[in-house]
Amino acid sequence: MDEVLKGGSGAVFLFLYLLPGFLGALVYDFLVEGRKRDNFERIVAALVLTLLSSVALKVGFGISLLPIAVDQSAAPIQIINAFVGKNLFYGSLLSVAIATVFAVLNNFRIINDTLRWLRITNKNSSVDVWADIFNHYRAYWIRIRFTDGRSLVGWPRFYSQFGDPREIFLVDAVWWEPDANGATISSEVAGPGLYVADFSNVTSIEVLN
């Protein structure tokens, strides 16, 4: 905030005007499932949310996000006093509400499915296949098969959302291992669960009924 104040009244005005958009972008990043955006994408999202909330305020409620006129020579504290009020409050609420709606639509793949239904795109993965499987089949057990013949069955309580490294924490985990006679022996994991981070020896991950 000190850096903004050092920039003079123009910097303070711009900061307060874009504040609802930045609040909405912050809420969206917190709620959405998937890849975290870089700073440039966050700034663009903040600008879009500011625009949408400003238009909604003006068209729907007849309220302008801009405060009453302030002289160009006004001190930063005067601009802050002019901005802080119902305009900024309502704009922030609208921006957060719009961001929440878009986050929910993204998390439940409604936007992606609608675009595919309209034949605008053939994209069928909102993040990547890994995240889509574990997000869609949340209440399913899984079996991890390894190259040495062992398998691990459990319920995925925690899992990485996307990218590297791939990680899973299984609760109620049970190892199934072949013995020297070819029979399969099961052994429960003692404790809350088992953390899997190395998938170099994994041949498949099965989603179980």
Side-chain angles (χ1 to χ4, degrees):
M1 189 64 184
D2 291 339
E3 295 299 323
V4 174
L5 293 177
K6 290 177 182 178
S9 58
V12 175
F13 180 90
L14 184 61
F15 172 78
L16 292 175
Y17 181 72
L18 295 177
L19 182 59
F22 282 112
L23 288 175
L26 182 65
V27 171
Y28 181 84
D29 283 340
F30 178 78
L31 295 177
V32 75
E33 299 172 354
R35 178 184 61 86
K36 297 305 178 184
R37 298 172 299 162
D38 57 32
N39 289 333
F40 176 77
E41 292 174 314
R42 291 190 179 101
I43 292 174
V44 172
L47 292 173
V48 172
L49 287 171
T50 298
L51 175 63
L52 292 177
S53 59
S54 298
V55 172
L57 273 180
K58 189 65 176 180
V59 175
F61 304 97
I63 300 175
S64 175
L65 186 58
L66 293 173
I68 58 175
V70 179
D71 189 82
Q72 291 183 350
S73 61
I77 190 64
Q78 291 178 290
I79 297 178
I80 294 175
N81 290 333
F83 252 105
V84 175
K86 67 177 183 180
N87 303 50
L88 185 62
F89 177 71
Y90 291 151
S92 299
L93 283 182
L94 268 176
S95 179
V96 169
I98 293 170
T100 301
V101 170
F102 273 102
V104 171
L105 292 176
N106 182 78
N107 290 341
F108 287 92
R109 301 178 54 171
I110 296 175
I111 296 176
N112 195 63
D113 291 344
T114 301
L115 292 176
R116 284 197 297 113
W117 181 77
L118 293 173
R119 299 185 182 276
I120 296 176
T121 179
N122 289 322
K123 180 182 178 183
N124 57 18
S125 176
S126 57
V127 184
D128 62 13
V129 177
W130 171 278
D132 286 339
I133 289 174
F134 287 106
N135 288 338
H136 185 72
Y137 298 104
R138 293 177 186 269
Y140 288 76
W141 291 61
I142 65 171
R143 177 188 288 117
I144 303 175
R145 294 188 181 273
F146 297 86
T147 54
D148 59 5
R150 298 179 303 158
S151 63
L152 179 64
V153 176
W155 187 71
R157 179 65 180 85
F158 304 110
Y159 49 87
S160 54
Q161 281 293 315
F162 71 100
D164 294 322
R166 301 298 196 191
E167 300 169 304
I168 299 179
F169 180 78
L170 298 178
V171 298
D172 296 329
V174 178
W175 280 106
W176 294 85
E177 303 176 83
D179 62 9
N181 299 322
T184 303
I185 301 175
S186 65
S187 59
E188 295 185 7
V189 174
L194 188 145
Y195 171 71
V196 181
D198 183 7
F199 289 85
S200 59
N201 295 319
V202 172
T203 59
S204 64
I205 300 177
E206 301 173 12
V207 181
L208 307 177
N209 290 323

